[in-house]
Every structure is written in C-alpha cells, then in structure tokens.
Amino acid sequence: MRVSLAATVAMVMMLMAGCGGGSGGSTSTSSTPTQKGPTVSSTSPTSDATGVAVVTQVSATFSTAMSATTLDASTFTVTAAGGKALTGKVSYNSSTNTATFTPSTNLTSNTTYTATLSSTIQSTAGDALASYSWSFTTASAGPAGTATVNFGNQGQVIRGFGGSEAWSGPMPQSQISTLYGTGSTDLGLTIMRLRIAPATWDATAKTADTSAWTTELDNGLAAQQMGAIVFASPWTPPPSMKSDNSVNEGSLNTSSYSDYAAYLEDYVNYASSLGVNLYAISMQNEPDWNPCGTGGPTASSCYESCLWTGQQMDTWVANDSSVLTTRLMMPESFYFASSMSDPSLNDPNAVNKISIIGGHLYGSKPYYYTLAESLNKDVWMTEHTINLASGETTTQSMTDALAEAKDIHDSMTVGQYNAYVYWWMVNSSSLSYYNGLIDPANGMTDIGAALAQFSRFVRPGYHRYDATASPVSGVYVSAYGGNGHEVIVAINTNIADNPVTFAIQNQSVSSVTPYQTMAGAMVAQQAAVTVSGNQFAYTLPAQSITTFVQ
C-alpha cells in the first residue's frame, strides 16, 4: 500500500507522542547546550549596586581556577561613564578563585562604572571565559560642612610625637633616619622611648652593671642626634629588689625603695656618659597590669613587669625620688587610670617632684585629666598600638591608618595631651608584630603614614589651637601653629568625599599646601590651595587624612 508523505509524517508524530505511555513516562524537551569553560560566580560590587563607597576594590569570583597570567589591567578593566578607563592593579587569589582590581585612586562620587572581563581570560585548563561585564554606581558626596579654625585661642604646647625601641636591638641608621628624618619618605618623629633593661645591682657599692643598658641607649643617642628628645621607662627593677626575685610580676620591696631611686639615677648618669641627655625617666611601665595573669612569674604569657598601687607610688615619689637629676614621669598606667597618680598629685610631699603624667590607652580612651592639668603637669600618651582591622595579619590598610589618625586626634583634642608616643616602631616577623610605623625595608606603613601626617608637620614647641572638632559626621579637624607655620589636620573616615570650608580666624593665611594619605598614597604633596578672605574650600577624599600647611 502506498502512503503519502503527509500521512507518514503524521504517523511518526503520533508514535512519538505516544512514547512513554501514561503517567509514569516522561516527555522529552529540547536541551540547552552546557556552557564550556569558566563562568563568573559573583562580583563585588554586585551588578547595578548603588551607593558604593568611592574607596573600593572591584572583584570577580570564578567557577573554577583561573590562569593568573591572563588576568591583568588589560583584561580586567573598570571604566567610568563616558568610557574613561581607570588605572589600577589586578591581583588573583587562587584559594578563592577571585580576581581583584584595585584602583590607583578613589572613585568619583555619584558616578556609574562598568567592570569588564575580556574573553582572553582563561582557566588553568586553557578554556576561555565568555566576555562579562557589570555596572555599579558610587555614593553621592557627603554633606558639606564648615570648620572654624581660631588661631587666637591657644591650647596645649606640643612636645612631639614618637615611638618605642624597646627590645629592638641595635637599630640601623637607615631606620633611625626614616623614623626621625623630615624628608618626603620620612616620618618626622621627635621622641624616642627607651626601655631600661633590668641590670644587676650591687647593693654594697650602690652601682648597676651598666652593660645591660648600652644597646638601647645607643639607639637613643642616634635619635637624639637627629633632634629627638629621649626618655626611658623600666619594665621592672632588678630582681634582687623584688618580692619574687624575678624580672616578671612581683612588687618592689619597701626596703629597696631608696636603692631603686639610686638605680634609676645610675641609669641617668650612665646615659649622660654616653652623650644621651634624658628628657625624663619613668618610675615604672604599666604598674597596674600583670601580664602573667594567674599563672605566676613563669607563665608563658609573662614578660618583665612589676606591680604597684597608687599609694605605693606616692610613697616612693615623696620619700625617694628627689635623688633624680632629670624630670620624673609617672605612673604610665596600662589604662591611663588616674587612680594610679591621684595619690601623688594630691600629696604635697610628692606633687612637686613630678614633671610628667604618662599613660597608656589600652582598654581606655583619651580624656582630659583635670587634676594633672590644674597642677600644670605635662600629660603624655606614652604607649598605644593599633589592632589591625584584618586581624593580627601581616597587612595594614587604610582602615588602620584612619584608626591611628583618630587616636591621635582624640589624644590632642579631647585629652589635650602634650605628646603622643606609639608602641614599637618597626615591623618584626620574628616577633610576629606587623603594627609598626615602618617595615623592615624602611618603607612607611599605613599606620606610620597616619602618624607622619601629624609628626612631620606639627613640631616640638608648636601649640594646638581651637578648631571645629567634627564639622561633619565622620570628619575630624584639629589645628596647630608655631615658628611661623599654621597646620590643619583633617580626617575623613566616611566612604564618600566630603566638601569642607575652612574658616580661619586671628591669623592671616594666603595659601596652604595639602599633604594627603589615602589608599595607595603616603603623605603625598598636592597642589597648593589659595586662601581668599581667610577661608578656603576643599573636598576631603573618602577615607583620607589631609594636612594643610602654611
């Protein structure tokens, strides 16, 4: 039997429709070919995101491992509206399969950007990525504000900014020069804090084995020769003077009070013999902190220490400290606790023997010490370190720089301290310490740059002057002057740029030169800004520190 072509096609279609039978069967569907090669799993910022911080990195995470050699600034690009490509660096994290574009400067506020991954990017298997792009829009500029700077209202004198060399060993001159020099890559520090290593004490001859002190005093001499002032702090008296006969924990025996004063004076004299003219000597580092905890002096957490009460410190100051021939600093409390120094300041037999109240900012914030200020005592912040935002890793960031800058700002404006002294100055892999001011190659760190924004331009003998402390939320301003110079330090912690008008009173200023630290730039000089009618407007970049200098 002959069957037409149409009938044949109809029969075939009926058979195909019937395949699979009833409810237990399946219906065939057309399939989409599986894409071969890597894909983009996620991006940051996400596609079409708005209000994105102008200080941001752009990243893409892939479905598989990628060839790092195919990822660079030519294959991963970010362009602003209008097609202008940003300059920046591309990095690849093989553990997360993430490529990151880091712009060399902040993005512009209220601008749409497009990120593009080209098809020349390949996986480690050699498969090409399909070209991929996404867009996002940055946040609008923050609100404008006005900061009034009154150079007719003088605050505290500034003694300087510095750091500690404790346990650093002999410091190369290159480190000293970077820390205490005033060049474009230097920090401009003006204070060095020394550790007084515990030395063997001869109770009969009343002399110490001074060899224990030489190395750190040599560091002090090198800093002094670059114009720094030097002071020294003991972490512990000699073990023979203590209740536990150990450099760790314990307390000073009352029978050794006079010997301890003679011991510190021996240090002053030995320093002088080496050419170090100590500006001050502290009686004890952190007398209210026991690093040994409950484990006793042999606990693994222990380090040199000695515990005092405020009353014990008062007794020693009143009865024994008069033998010292340099300024006395006390109490260097761990918490900047006034209870450690109030007894001495309230004791007529002790108060006049104290020149400087020193304290640390661990577990506390800067505050105005009314009693000490009413007695015309210098108040110094003599130790603090910034805990890195990323955790105790090897990498600092602009977030850490901003935290350090705010710490200094509060110390100068809220605490009205005369000096700010950081903890260790140099990063050390052997000590697992990466919070320093410079790295082992003498490169300025983020935290170091934040301190340099003050220390290089606010010099010893300058005074702080009144300024609107926070003209806009997240923006902080302080002002200083001396030796014919005016200095304004402005910190913008916000994720957007903030325009600020600076209104200057009681000083004639014609122009200022900004120096700026932000992601990718360390204390970088900017174009001079004209001051007209004693005011100038300036847009502070997001997450930046700007120092204006006349």
Side-chain angles (χ1 to χ4, degrees), residues 28-157:
S28 68
T29 59
S30 59
S31 60
T32 301
T34 302
Q35 180 177 335
K36 181 182 179 182
T39 59
V40 176
S41 303
S42 63
T43 63
S44 178
T46 58
S47 181
D48 298 322
T50 58
V52 174
V54 296
V55 180
T56 196
Q57 295 175 316
V58 183
S59 63
T61 299
F62 302 96
S63 60
T64 189
M66 304 300 288
S67 171
T69 59
T70 65
L71 284 158
D72 57 32
S74 67
T75 59
F76 186 171
T77 60
V78 179
T79 56
K84 183 179 180 181
L86 302 185
T87 59
K89 296 180 179 180
V90 174
S91 59
Y92 178 68
N93 185 332
S94 59
S95 63
T96 60
N97 298 336
T98 300
T100 301
F101 180 97
T102 302
S104 55
T105 60
N106 284 0
L107 305 182
T108 302
S109 298
N110 197 30
T111 301
T112 297
Y113 289 89
T114 299
T116 301
L117 301 166
S118 80
S119 58
T120 57
I121 298 172
Q122 296 181 355
S123 68
T124 53
D127 296 322
L129 175 78
S131 182
Y132 187 93
S133 64
W134 74 101
S135 299
F136 58 90
T137 303
T138 52
S140 299
T146 298
T148 300
V149 180
N150 185 357
F151 284 106
N153 199 350
Q154 189 179 86
Q156 77 271 24
V157 66

Side-chain angles (χ1 to χ4, degrees), residues 52 83 218 233 259 481:
V52 174
D218 284 344
S233 303
D259 271 5

